[in-house]
């Protein structure tokens, strides 16, 4: 078990760490506010290495930091760290935890990227609103409307402001590429 403490404000700060094994303190406490030494010698990184977190191997980047690697940098205080430890407590070892944590982070990044495709960009105007798009493409309110607005905003970014007619034409082409049929296309087929 390790006890670690970090206190930083505006880039300046300090770290302290100590390690216990089988109830006996085997290392520390070690304290520093001088971070000119290699990262592996910083107290928290040294404690994590003693607990079995993988220290950097040959060819590892200079910025390798076990504090960040094990997720401590994503938390602000001991309560958050304790919650993260409880979440990881069923992992057999560091490698299992790291693989699971990495997969979770990648899943969150993919979900965020997917959401971004359907979210309106702030301060980029479009000539059609959600109701106009719903009527034009004969689709209900939902994520597809958001994706259509996002598409129009990207056109605005790439080619400048679009007229209403140009936006309608662009949306019909976009909808066809998405496998959607616009109302106008459906009416033309019915006629």
């Amino acid at each position: 078990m390790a006890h670690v403490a970090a206190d930083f404000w505006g880039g300046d700060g300090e770290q302290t760490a100590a390690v216990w094994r089988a109830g006996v303190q085997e290392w520390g406490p070690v304290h520093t506010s001088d971070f000119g030494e290699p990262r592996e010698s910083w107290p928290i990184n040294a404690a994590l290495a003693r607990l079995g977190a993988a220290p950097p191997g040959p060819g590892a980047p200079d910025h390798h930091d076990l504090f960040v690697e094990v997720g401590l940098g994503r938390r602000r205080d001991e309560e958050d760290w304790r919650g993260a430890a409880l979440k990881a407590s069923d992992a057999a070892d560091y490698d299992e935890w790291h693989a699971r944590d990495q997969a979770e982070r990648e899943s969150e990044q993919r979900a965020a990227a997917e959401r971004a495709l359907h979210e309106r960009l702030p301060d980029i105007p479009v000539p059609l609103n959600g109701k106009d798009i719903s009527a034009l493409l004969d689709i209900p309110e939902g994520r597809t409307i958001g994706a259509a607005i996002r598409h129009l905003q990207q056109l605005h970014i790439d080619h400048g402001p679009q007229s209403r007619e140009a936006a309608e034409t662009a949306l019909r082409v976009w909808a066809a590429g998405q496998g959607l049929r616009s109302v106008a296309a459906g009416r033309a087929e019915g006629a």
Side-chain angles (χ1 to χ4, degrees):
M1 177 170 93
H3 182 267
V4 300
D7 187 18
F8 286 87
W9 180 257
D12 293 324
E14 55 191 37
Q15 286 186 2
T16 304
V19 175
W20 287 262
R21 194 170 308 277
V24 177
Q25 187 171 353
E26 74 171 30
W27 180 81
V30 175
H31 175 85
T32 192
S33 58
D34 176 16
F35 296 98
E37 298 291 320
R39 290 177 188 254
E40 60 268 10
S41 67
W42 296 357
I44 294 176
N45 286 336
L48 292 170
R50 282 176 166 73
L51 292 176
D62 291 339
H63 65 275
H64 188 86
D65 188 344
L66 289 178
F67 181 88
V68 173
E69 186 79 16
V70 301
L72 293 173
R74 293 193 309 253
R75 308 289 190 259
R76 300 275 307 164
D77 56 36
E78 192 169 330
E79 184 176 324
D80 288 344
W81 288 349
R82 189 177 310 115
L86 288 172
K87 185 177 173 186
S89 65
D90 64 334
D93 58 22
Y94 170 79
D95 291 334
E96 179 185 326
W97 170 84
H98 185 265
R100 191 170 62 202
D101 185 65
Q102 190 68 26
E104 184 178 319
R105 273 194 264 165
E106 289 170 2
S107 176
E108 289 170 359
Q109 290 170 346
R110 283 191 303 275
E114 177 67 24
R115 280 191 308 276
L117 292 174
H118 302 284
E119 292 176 353
R120 184 180 191 121
L121 298 169
D123 302 325
I124 298 180
V126 292
L128 302 170
N129 63 30
K131 288 182 181 182
D132 296 334
I133 294 168
S134 179
L136 176 73
L137 301 179
D138 194 24
I139 55 176
E141 291 183 22
R143 293 175 56 117
T144 306
I145 299 290
I149 290 172
R150 177 66 186 236
H151 176 70
L152 290 176
Q153 288 181 311
Q154 192 60 49
L155 287 174
H156 181 94
I157 291 168
D158 294 343
H159 306 290
Q162 305 286 304
S163 69
R164 183 178 181 90
E165 295 76 24
E168 288 175 355
T169 300
L171 276 182
R172 286 187 185 104
V173 170
W174 174 84
Q178 301 295 311
L180 303 172
R181 292 177 46 208
S182 70
V183 172
R187 288 186 186 137
E189 288 175 12

